[in-house]
Amino acid sequence: MNPRERRAARHQPPNPEAEAAPRPRRRKAPITVEQVVETALGVITAEGYEALTMRRLAGALDTGPASLYAHVVNKADLDELLIGRLCAELVLPEPDPAAWGEQIRGVCAQLRDQYLKYPGISRAALAMAPTDLQTLRISEGLLAVLLAGGVAPQAAAWTVDALLLYVAAYCLEVSIARQRAAHDDDAWVLDRDELQRRLTALPAATFPHTTRYAAELTAGEGHDRFDFTLGLMIEGLGRS
């Protein structure tokens, strides 16, 4: 089976009969897709997503890059496996028409927390046409919750896309900010007091609103802005 056939097979529901078929014994345990994914996550945890290349991953697995292509087609395929692995950790609720907004918040918060465990990994989810079954499971679950809440099908479909895009972008920005803050010269980007001082020091004649509302522009603890934005989206659907 070539790499593309392997990838296509991963996107099909499991076949119990095929899984039960005996496999020939080998002297050395081969590299598995699961091992590739776990090792890639280890590289990201230690060095960030930008450090993950096929060559870097092969080195971590103590093999050559060519060996990886027996399991993954290319970097895009690896990205899909990584996002699918994180999505597998999410717990989807049974759709409840009376609590659909909170259920959407809950799933998005779970995905956010998974992304933030691995610096920059949400970049892999951007511009991705998902075919991984675990990734599609999340889309299906969000769609089911929205439809149960009375959201029209087209609006629900686009909302799923918007939610996943926002979560990925939010997490990527957080990761970039943390990376910059790790350097002394850029530590101010996460220092609210310093940022507020810079805004209030602007010429008021040119930036009247920025200087007046510098406290509001720099406000927020933890994931306050994340929760606020999800609230805007959910409340907007409720009014439509």
Side-chain angles (χ1 to χ4, degrees), residues 47-166:
E47 305 172 33
Y49 175 75
E50 292 184 355
L52 182 67
T53 64
M54 297 297 277
R55 184 173 296 279
R56 174 68 185 86
L57 179 56
L61 287 164
D62 194 25
T63 188
S67 299
L68 294 180
Y69 293 108
H71 305 282
V72 293
V73 178
N74 49 31
K75 182 59 163 48
D77 188 29
L78 176 61
D79 285 345
E80 189 174 34
L81 284 168
L82 292 171
I83 298 303
R85 173 67 176 78
L86 300 190
C87 286
E89 300 296 321
L90 274 60
V91 178
L92 294 173
E94 186 66 28
D96 181 354
W100 68 273
E102 288 305 310
Q103 290 184 326
I104 291 294
R105 290 174 187 266
V107 175
C108 289
Q110 287 185 69
L111 183 58
R112 175 201 68 203
D113 292 344
Q114 284 296 313
Y115 283 159
L116 292 179
K117 288 181 182 178
Y118 306 97
I121 198 172
S122 63
R123 185 189 300 273
L126 298 174
M128 174 188 291
T131 55
D132 183 271
L133 296 180
Q134 287 296 340
T135 306
L136 289 171
R137 181 180 71 91
I138 303 308
S139 299
E140 172 73 15
L142 289 171
L143 186 59
V145 170
L146 290 167
L147 293 173
V151 180
Q154 184 63 78
W158 283 351
T159 299
V160 170
D161 181 63
L163 288 168
L164 295 176
L165 179 61
Y166 174 68

Side-chain angles (χ1 to χ4, degrees), residues 14-28:
N15 183 342
E17 294 182 1
E19 292 180 353
R23 297 179 180 179
R25 296 182 62 184
R26 298 180 181 178
R27 279 200 246 169
K28 184 178 178 181

Side-chain angles (χ1 to χ4, degrees), residues 5 14 30 44 61 73 76 85 87 93 120 149 155 158 161 176 178 183-184 206 224-225:
E5 290 172 335
I44 295 170
L61 287 164
V73 178
R85 173 67 176 78
C87 286
W158 283 351
D161 181 63
I176 292 172
R178 288 175 178 174
H183 298 86
D184 293 340
T206 306
D224 286 348
R225 291 173 181 244

